[in-house]
Amino acid sequence: MISVPAAARGPVYRWTDHTNNPTGEARAVLRRVLKDLGLSSDVIGDGILAVSELVANAHEHACGPYEVHLRSAAGRYICEIHDGDPLLPVDLYAAASSKAEVASAGAAIGSLDERGRGLCIVNELARGQWGYRVTDWGIKAAWVVLAEGFGSNRYPHPGRTGGADVTQQNTDERPGIAAAIVVHEGCVLMVRRRVSEGQLSWQFPAGEVEPGEAREDAAVRETQEETGLAVAAVKLLGERVHPKTGRLMSYTACEVLDGTAYVADTEELAELSWVAHGEIPQYVPEGLFEPVQEYLDAVLVS
């Protein structure tokens, strides 16, 4: 466990669209900061590589101004790259989990291939502990966890020799999963499925995104189908490749419009529960996706 300060460190590097070499500058700054924090050389090396890929991706495909932030949460350091584009990069994120889809889509999106390769590196180095979220200021932030053990089973940068091929994916190519974070009267709605997915037991209402369907709409639909609740999407909290299932996940905050929650889909669900903030660890002992936890920390009464 890393010893972390009580408060987040905040921004450690800023750049603009006119900066000549933001990736190199960010690497140099982050190396000094992480070394000052006493992190191991493996953590520093892999962390810098992962952050470099995210910085390069933001600089090439988003818009400024940009910032690299370092903050602490749950005994870990989390590095975030903020940019001026409010839209989450759905296609780029999918490219990290499904290179085959990118290759089969033709020349129209062929440029996603190299971007997807960079995100593949991030995904492998971080063991799935990375993603995108929308900040409270309405801008996009790519985030990656830096922690002890981060450096084991490392995969090489395209310029290195040896090791596994980072383009080989262990995430599956099925449709993405949309989860609904439904908050009502100081609690969040959770469901227990009849068939557990690995170690996952209690989770949020969720299901596959249908062709042509927006992630937010899928979250609303799945909530209605599984629990009978009519809800409205408030905002998209973020996306990630789930570290346990390998599925591309999106998380949408929702508010209740009408109805009473019950087990509407008896084939899928065994039971449901409205969970208070302090009870969440009892239902999900392995912890929640960071943007979801931050949202619930803000909106639920402890």
Side-chain angles (χ1 to χ4, degrees), residues 2-281:
I2 299 172
S3 177
V4 299
R9 293 180 62 92
V12 296
Y13 174 66
R14 295 184 175 92
W15 82 97
T16 71
D17 290 320
H18 304 293
T19 303
N20 290 328
N21 184 21
T23 304
E25 292 180 0
R27 280 199 299 263
V29 171
L30 194 60
R31 185 181 300 277
R32 290 196 301 270
V33 171
L34 297 182
K35 186 176 181 179
D36 289 345
L37 293 173
L39 302 186
S40 70
S41 58
D42 281 347
V43 171
I44 293 174
D46 285 345
I48 288 174
L49 176 54
V51 172
S52 294
E53 294 293 343
L54 294 176
V55 168
N57 188 73
H59 187 69
E60 182 176 358
H61 304 294
C63 60
Y66 311 87
E67 293 183 342
V68 176
H69 287 239
L70 187 65
R71 60 188 179 86
S72 61
R76 298 172 174 179
Y77 284 112
I78 299 171
C79 193
E80 294 189 342
I81 293 81
H82 296 196
D83 61 54
D85 186 352
L87 300 178
L88 295 178
V90 180
D91 292 336
L92 298 184
Y93 195 80
S97 60
S98 178
K99 187 174 185 291
E101 290 181 3
V102 174
S104 65
I109 59 170
S111 63
L112 290 176
D113 187 69
E114 284 305 313
R115 285 181 261 179
R117 183 178 175 84
L119 297 185
C120 289
I121 295 170
V122 176
N123 189 53
E124 295 292 350
L125 288 170
R127 298 181 180 180
Q129 297 184 87
W130 74 286
Y132 289 92
R133 71 184 184 94
V134 178
T135 71
D136 293 337
W137 298 274
I139 61 175
K140 179 173 81 266
W143 60 271
V144 61
V145 170
L146 311 177
E148 295 293 348
F150 186 93
S152 60
N153 297 324
R154 297 196 302 277
Y155 288 74
H157 187 274
R160 297 182 184 175
T161 58
D165 181 359
V166 296
T167 63
Q168 294 177 351
Q169 295 303 302
N170 57 12
T171 52
D172 67 45
E173 299 176 9
R174 291 177 289 173
I177 302 293
I181 315 304
V182 183
V183 171
H184 185 61
E185 294 182 350
C187 294
V188 62
L189 181 61
M190 302 199 74
V191 300
R192 184 172 67 82
R193 302 197 177 277
R194 291 193 177 278
V195 179
S196 298
E197 299 180 6
Q199 297 179 347
L200 301 178
S201 179
W202 285 92
Q203 52 192 269
F204 302 110
E208 290 187 350
V209 179
E210 296 179 351
E213 185 178 34
R215 297 158 291 176
E216 297 90 336
D217 293 339
V220 168
R221 174 181 53 77
E222 287 291 341
T223 302
Q224 174 83 49
E225 293 176 357
E226 292 188 346
T227 71
L229 275 182
V231 301
V234 176
K235 65 177 179 177
L236 184 66
L237 299 176
E239 287 189 310
R240 66 168 173 173
V241 175
H242 199 287
K244 298 291 187 182
T245 67
R247 300 294 295 272
L248 179 64
M249 296 284 304
S250 64
Y251 300 81
T252 299
C254 298
E255 61 181 0
V256 176
L257 298 179
D258 189 33
T260 300
Y262 68 100
V263 177
D265 189 343
T266 55
E267 293 184 359
E268 283 283 337
L269 303 186
E271 59 181 316
L272 58 77
S273 179
W274 288 102
V275 180
H277 183 270
E279 299 172 332
I280 292 174

